[in-house]
Amino acid sequence: MSDVKSIAVRAPAKVNLQLGVGGRRADGYHELASVFLTVSLFDRITLTPAEELRVTVGGVRAAGVPADGSNIAARAVDLLAKRSGLHPGVHVHIDKCIPVQGGMAGGSADAAGALVGCNALWNLGIGRADLVELAAELGSDVPFSVLGGAAFGSGRGERLTVLPVGATTHWVFATAGFGLSTPAVFAEVERRRKDAGRPWAADDIPSPRVSRRLVDALAGGDTAALADALSNDLEPVATSMRPELARTLKTGTEAGALAGVLCGSGATIGFLVADRNAARTVAQGLLASGTCASAHVADGPVPGPEPEETITTGESA
Ligand code: C5P
């Protein structure tokens, strides 16, 4: 019996400190101005050599995550194998903790973890910048999920510029008892623009710009100014699609958060708080109110996905 080496990778979720949404391009994507920050909510992806590519999913949020080749982590393994001329014989196990359809790039984190993990498993030695470029073929948020930290994303969110961060930020993430589909939220943005007789095509709307105030607050470690600058153009749309989100936002700020903001296209709400003590108080207030399904305390930024450990067993996967 030969030893089988597994690689485990911890891949973090993200929050958007800013999400500016421009017009729809001819390829169907929207021009974005996105400020991303990784936070300490992690999925764990374990990669073990196997005869064929297969996926299993466990953990507290496994429900509804596809355990087959359609899983974005499987597509990531396949893509990297093709580019490297290898057979994608890997068992991908995802320990799911990041909210599903929560706007926190949970699927993108799994794909990023699979890219970073297979790069190590197969000793490919591909640099982070090249993995980031490859990641864009899998989804708009995957490049940032490979990079981690804090970054500004333009284009459809995949053209990244690293941003400096002056101080750790503290958060509470309130999950909803439901998910929101990203294409559905973007489609609703467009429907509203058309109904209001406003321009909606990328050619007719100036590209959204990064908030200088926000970038300065982030670099200077000024949490109060950062709270003031948080913004997400999808928030009014998501809260009108699901009014219970407005109640969650109100409850979190009343419980002591500095500000609340919709994560990505929802349905999780992120609350920026002063410190860990405030985070515990806000999380308790949110849970007691019954306006969310769960509340998680987290910090950011955290590093992007890294191989955590090598596990050697005598059994094949
Ligand atoms: O790139 P990704 O597959 O994650 O995008 C999922 C969907 O989100 C797209 O099909 C599109 O409907 C929407 N989207 C968009 N503009 C972006 C990113 C995503 O309209 N910049």
Side-chain angles (χ1 to χ4, degrees):
M1 190 163 33
S2 64
D3 283 350
V4 176
K5 194 176 81 161
S6 292
I7 298 242
V9 179
R10 251 175 22 140
K14 61 84 182 161
V15 59
N16 297 86
L17 305 178
Q18 179 191 353
L19 188 54
V21 179
R24 182 161 71 81
R25 315 189 310 201
D27 64 4
Y29 286 96
H30 291 76
E31 281 292 313
L32 301 181
S34 181
V35 177
F36 299 103
L37 183 81
T38 42
V39 292
S40 57
L41 269 181
F42 300 96
D43 283 352
R44 191 160 182 271
I45 298 98
T46 309
L47 303 154
T48 309
E51 291 281 305
E52 296 297 332
L53 176 56
R54 70 187 183 97
V55 179
T56 52
V57 186
V60 287
R61 298 197 189 278
V65 179
D68 59 28
S70 71
N71 189 296
I72 189 169
R75 290 197 283 116
V77 172
D78 220 24
L79 178 67
L80 189 60
K82 274 203 183 77
R83 289 305 154 86
S84 313
L86 296 171
H87 172 65
V90 178
H91 170 202
V92 182
H93 180 72
I94 301 169
D95 192 0
K96 194 80 204 149
C97 187
I98 301 172
V100 177
Q101 282 204 324
M104 299 192 74
S108 301
D110 298 346
L115 287 179
V116 169
C118 283
N119 187 32
L121 190 70
W122 296 334
N123 289 313
L124 297 174
I126 301 173
R128 189 70 55 149
D130 288 331
L131 281 184
V132 166
E133 203 177 309
L134 189 65
E137 296 183 32
L138 294 161
S140 305
D141 285 344
V142 188
F144 175 71
S145 296
V146 169
L147 189 66
F152 169 60
S154 61
R156 62 184 171 96
E158 89 288 15
R159 284 207 307 266
L160 299 172
T161 309
V162 173
L163 293 175
V165 180
T168 299
T169 56
H170 301 279
W171 296 85
V172 177
F173 293 98
T175 66
F178 52 87
L180 275 171
S181 140
T182 303
V185 176
F186 275 102
E188 180 62 14
V189 168
E190 219 165 287
R191 192 187 66 77
R192 286 162 168 247
R193 285 175 174 165
K194 285 177 178 163
D195 282 359
R198 290 179 23 224
W200 53 272
D203 286 345
D204 302 326
I205 305 179
S207 290
R209 298 166 69 104
V210 67
S211 158
R212 193 34 55 198
R213 202 160 59 91
L214 186 141
V215 169
D216 288 348
L218 187 66
D222 185 342
T223 310
L226 184 63
D228 217 36
L230 296 179
S231 75
N232 182 341
D233 286 352
L234 298 178
E235 190 178 292
V237 179
T239 51
S240 75
M241 288 167 83
R242 297 301 300 235
E244 41 287 54
L245 294 175
R247 285 196 285 280
T248 313
L249 274 163
K250 188 162 176 280
T251 305
T253 37
E254 282 172 0
L258 300 171
V261 69
L262 184 79
C263 294
S265 60
T268 306
I269 310 264
F271 292 98
L272 182 60
V273 293
D275 52 35
R276 286 231 176 105
N277 279 337
R280 277 190 283 273
T281 307
V282 170
Q284 280 160 7
L286 281 160
L287 286 172
S289 74
T291 59
C292 64
S294 64
H296 305 266
V297 169
D299 301 330
V302 294
E306 286 295 346
E308 195 176 56
E309 65 202 76
T310 301
I311 311 154
T312 306
T313 68
E315 290 178 27
S316 66

